Amino acid sequence: MRKDISTPQYTRSIIDKHKFTFKKSLGQNFLIDRNILDKIVSTAGVTSETGVIEIGPGIGSLTEQLAKSAKKVTAFEIDQRLIPILKDTLLDYPHVKVIHQDVLEANLHEVIEHEFKDVEDLMVVANLPYYVTTPIILKLLTERLPIRGIVVMIQKEVADRLAAEPGTKSYGSLSIAVQYYAVTKSEVKVPKTVFVPQPNVDSSVISLTLREKPPVDVDDEAFFFELVRASFGQRRKTLLNNLQNNLFTKEQKPEIEEALQSVGIDGKRRGEALSIEEFAHLSNALLALKR
Ligand code: SAM
């Protein structure tokens, strides 16, 4: 029986055999800890009925553990040099397909339609390249893919932002954007020592379970997100100041104050103190003013 790809010795031998050199610019930090891989797979609830989209398989450490449990795995890898390596390391898993493409450019609806026709339970699972974590997560959420959820290893600081509650330092427009689409849960903090090469930052595994519908009623989604971003424009400024400066004009101050009052929100508060419900009420009240 062959050893797991993720054992430090086997990872090293694959790297040596293929004379692979890590590209920092592609966020290449490979996992060498089987316990963490098992934790990712179990958190994602992968069963023989589950289809998995993986982003950035690297040399296949996570892919291999996913393939042992999943019905099918389709993985996007941007680095051409890894394609022949994956062909070698994943030889025993014919239900794994590797697509050589930048996931940000992929038409995921089309891939799902094509690759997962016979799959009812679909998950995205990845040890994400840290330089593009946010765009990838936002793409997965905003494209409203037919997936159950996302389980990813990301930089701990970003995981904290995704799961942050109002009034905390990490809470910002990204927290709201993500929590609008999904229920977030930080699952486990991961030390740097489980990667080669070791990154400079700590990591976390986070799960995002997609909501069937948003937690709040918003009349105009685009305007809601615009309002959220504007409210966090300058974190030290009050909500009223941020709204005047970033979304409306100083001349509109009386109308903004009126809208704030109508939903019972004090304009002297800071954006970071408002809950997603309060942002929803405020965006519905301010919408007429924007039009
Ligand atoms: N899954 C492997 C593991 O856990 O050991 C490797 C994870 S490594 C953090 C990130 C991987 O994503 C690398 O293999 C890198 O080449 C790949 N990658 C980087 N940017 C990408 C992109 N935009 N689309 C697809 N893959 C990407």
Side-chain angles (χ1 to χ4, degrees):
M1 183 77 184
R2 199 172 81 172
K3 276 195 193 135
D4 284 343
I5 297 171
S6 65
T7 59
Q9 301 83 340
Y10 196 46
T11 294
R12 174 52 53 201
S13 77
I14 295 165
I15 287 166
D16 289 347
K17 177 176 164 193
H18 294 273
K19 299 190 173 54
F20 180 77
T21 49
F22 293 94
K23 271 198 187 157
K24 207 173 169 189
S25 62
L26 290 179
Q28 290 177 338
N29 303 96
F30 298 166
L31 269 168
I32 49 163
D33 185 308
R34 177 66 194 276
N35 290 332
I36 297 292
L37 292 167
D38 287 348
K39 174 74 186 164
I40 295 174
V41 177
S42 65
T43 300
V46 177
T47 72
S48 56
E49 302 296 309
T50 311
V52 177
I53 296 176
E54 191 196 351
I55 296 158
I59 58 170
S61 337
L62 176 58
T63 327
E64 176 182 46
Q65 300 311 324
L66 289 165
K68 285 181 186 167
S69 304
K71 182 168 187 175
K72 188 168 186 193
V73 181
T74 295
F76 288 93
E77 176 54 63
I78 197 172
D79 188 347
Q80 164 65 49
R81 299 172 308 151
L82 289 165
I83 306 303
I85 302 183
L86 287 161
K87 214 173 213 158
D88 181 12
T89 58
L90 299 172
L91 201 62
D92 296 340
Y93 304 98
H95 58 307
V96 172
K97 175 168 179 172
V98 176
I99 299 177
H100 173 221
Q101 191 178 21
D102 177 346
V103 72
L104 289 173
E105 306 207 327
N107 182 337
L108 293 175
H109 279 283
E110 214 169 84
V111 171
I112 291 171
E113 179 90 359
H114 194 254
E115 300 294 328
F116 297 102
K117 240 194 248 92
D118 52 346
V119 169
E120 301 232 326
D121 181 44
L122 190 56
M123 286 295 292
V124 175
V125 185
N127 169 20
L128 284 180
Y130 293 175
Y131 78 105
V132 274
T133 300
T134 307
I136 291 176
I137 291 180
L138 288 178
K139 174 180 168 91
L140 295 170
L141 293 173
T142 56
E143 290 192 356
R144 297 190 194 268
L145 304 171
I147 56 176
R148 171 162 56 84
I150 303 167
V151 172
V152 278
M153 168 98 75
I154 57 178
Q155 190 178 333
K156 182 176 177 300
E157 188 221 310
V158 180
D160 290 346
R161 283 165 59 201
L162 301 190
E165 306 266 352
T168 62
K169 211 172 85 223
S170 303
Y171 186 65
S173 53
L174 183 62
S175 324
I176 296 172
V178 168
Q179 291 169 30
Y180 183 79
Y181 295 103
V183 176
T184 60
K185 185 164 176 243
S186 264
E187 301 284 350
V188 61
K189 190 180 151 193
V190 179
K192 300 167 191 165
T193 48
V194 302
F195 301 92
V196 278
Q198 288 189 21
N200 297 324
V201 291
D202 281 325
S203 305
S204 274
V205 176
I206 187 165
S207 66
L208 311 177
T209 306
L210 261 65
R211 300 178 188 275
E212 269 179 30
K213 64 183 200 50
V216 288
D217 286 324
V218 165
D219 296 338
D220 182 324
E221 271 183 8
F223 179 65
F224 168 72
F225 288 119
E226 216 183 317
L227 167 73
V228 170
R229 277 194 301 276
S231 305
F232 284 99
Q234 285 97 9
R235 280 188 88 98
R236 307 304 305 158
K237 290 216 161 124
T238 65
L239 183 60
L240 181 61
N241 269 332
N242 266 325
L243 292 179
Q244 272 182 185
N245 297 341
N246 306 331
L247 197 58
F248 297 102
T249 60
K250 290 215 169 15
E251 290 67 48
Q252 287 175 294
K253 187 176 174 191
E255 290 110 303
I256 304 171
E257 281 178 322
E258 200 178 310
L260 282 162
Q261 210 170 21
S262 76
V263 289
I265 295 172
D266 185 345
K268 291 200 212 63
R269 288 167 68 191
R270 298 218 172 95
E272 66 200 39
L274 264 63
S275 67
I276 191 165
E277 288 80 13
E278 288 179 306
F279 274 117
H281 292 150
L282 187 58
S283 104
N284 293 344
L286 284 170
L287 188 57
L289 205 56
K290 188 68 189 170
R291 279 178 176 152

